[in-house]
Amino acid sequence: MPATRLSDLSEADLLARLFPVYAGAKGGDADVVIGPGDDAAVLAAPGGSVVLTTDTMVRSRDWRDDWSSPHEVGHKAVVQNVADIAAMGATPTGLLVALAADPATEVDWALGLAEGIAAAAREASAPVLGGDLSSAGPGTVMVAITAVGDLGGRAAVRRDGARPGDVVAVCGTLGRSGGGLQLLLADRGLPHDAPDPTPADRVVHDLCLAHRTAGRPPWEQGPVAADAGATSMIDLSDGLVRDLGRIARASGVGVELDGEALREHAAGPLTEALGADEAMRQVLSGGEEHSLVATFAPGEVPAGWHLLGRCTAGAPAVLVDGAVPEVTGWDHFRG
């Protein structure tokens, strides 16, 4: 039987199928005054401040259908937004979802996307509040999510608060998503149903999965870092060097990273799958990891965070063992 396409349904028909999927993405529903179905959602803001962020994913630019299932695309779209909320020291409270798609897109793909979004929304306790649907040109599919967060009465942690003498610490992994991307580009990814995977196969599978889904970053640690006195914070969207460079420029400090600490993150699965040199390159420049990196006064780093280096009074640049790294990270327009 031919697959049902979006063009076979009305907008109301599609929404009737999507709403039950999102209805399962419960979380901070006590703060939802009006949910999906009206002209706009209404969300209470108990902390008095609302944090907002949005990210867009485009087919063939941010994912490939031959690599990623719609469920994985939906999960990744949520993760990258929730990580931005966490990087401000806030807790996610809701999501708005927009989908623009070629009418020839299969309905099952749209439902799979919604299921991935709903699953990640449940993990983050951030209910889907509503969104928008639109048709798009041939072959085009675009997913945009706006996340809402609450600071809970605390001040937002910005990028411009790092001070000379602060230490730099990470919570989460480094380089796994970028490593998975390199494996996929080299056609080393495994089918989802690969028979009898070896331990080496499982390493490759896990790294590729980290890229396709963005994994499970430690977003609950954003408020923890804020309460511990983080002076600046960012999530790793475009690579450690590029994102720490943003903190360095905003704060007017230098950042000195410790090569030995970085090599510890490169060791293990990354080195096993990619070799030591490429593993280190991904630790420094691999994007879409969405771990949290923050600066703290010495002695104030919370449990679960790992030291990477320190801030200096030097030029606003990122150095590794005193040298400028050869990698830069991801740029949407320069590639």
Side-chain angles (χ1 to χ4, degrees), residues 168-243:
V168 179
V170 64
C171 189
T173 57
L174 294 174
R176 291 176 59 84
S177 177
L181 174 60
Q182 298 310 306
L183 292 168
L184 289 164
L185 289 170
D187 201 25
R188 291 178 59 192
L190 297 176
H192 293 277
D193 56 352
D196 302 320
T198 66
D201 289 339
R202 282 192 283 271
V203 168
V204 169
H205 174 270
D206 289 347
L207 291 175
C208 292
L209 188 65
H211 176 71
R212 295 196 308 263
T213 67
R216 171 58 170 89
W219 47 60
E220 67 281 352
Q221 284 291 319
V224 171
D227 291 341
T231 54
S232 69
M233 186 156 49
I234 195 168
D235 84 293
L236 295 182
S237 300
D238 300 323
L240 181 66
V241 170
R242 181 173 290 275
D243 288 325

Side-chain angles (χ1 to χ4, degrees), residues 281-309:
R281 193 173 82 88
Q282 292 306 321
V283 163
L284 290 170
S285 66
E288 297 188 322
E289 195 79 5
H290 301 297
S291 296
L292 299 176
V293 174
T295 57
F296 301 88
E300 293 186 359
V301 180
W305 291 71
H306 304 282
L307 293 176
L308 295 179

